[in-house]
Amino acid sequence: MSNSTRAPSTVEVTAKDLQGPGVVFCPNPKMPLWSNHPRVFIDVVATGEGACPYCGTVYRLKAGEKVGAGH
């Protein structure tokens, strides 16, 4: 038996997945109800990825994805 900790999951997101100006929210709609925590918004545009401070899920902008500066 391994005693290692479980690595956080990584979710690849596209420009369509963004909920606001360059952000996604966690927990995301695909997560099971039992894993819910307070909703947080994570900036993925500034550096290309961001991690949830509650569950550690990493949200990564898909390679080559273009995020427009529309209003």
Side-chain angles (χ1 to χ4, degrees):
M1 279 189 152
S2 174
N3 202 12
S4 65
T5 58
R6 198 171 130 199
S9 63
T10 300
V11 177
E12 192 173 63
V13 296
T14 65
K16 274 202 259 183
D17 297 321
L18 301 179
Q19 301 299 314
V23 298
V24 293
F25 64 82
C26 189
N28 68 60
K30 294 180 181 174
M31 292 180 158
L33 189 58
W34 61 263
S35 69
N36 276 346
H37 54 66
R39 180 176 283 187
V40 291
F41 291 87
I42 301 161
D43 181 357
V44 295
V45 174
T47 63
E49 71 179 39
C52 176
Y54 287 101
C55 67
T57 299
V58 175
Y59 292 88
R60 183 171 296 140
L61 196 59
K62 186 177 181 178
E65 195 68 18
K66 302 282 188 248
V67 178
H71 299 341

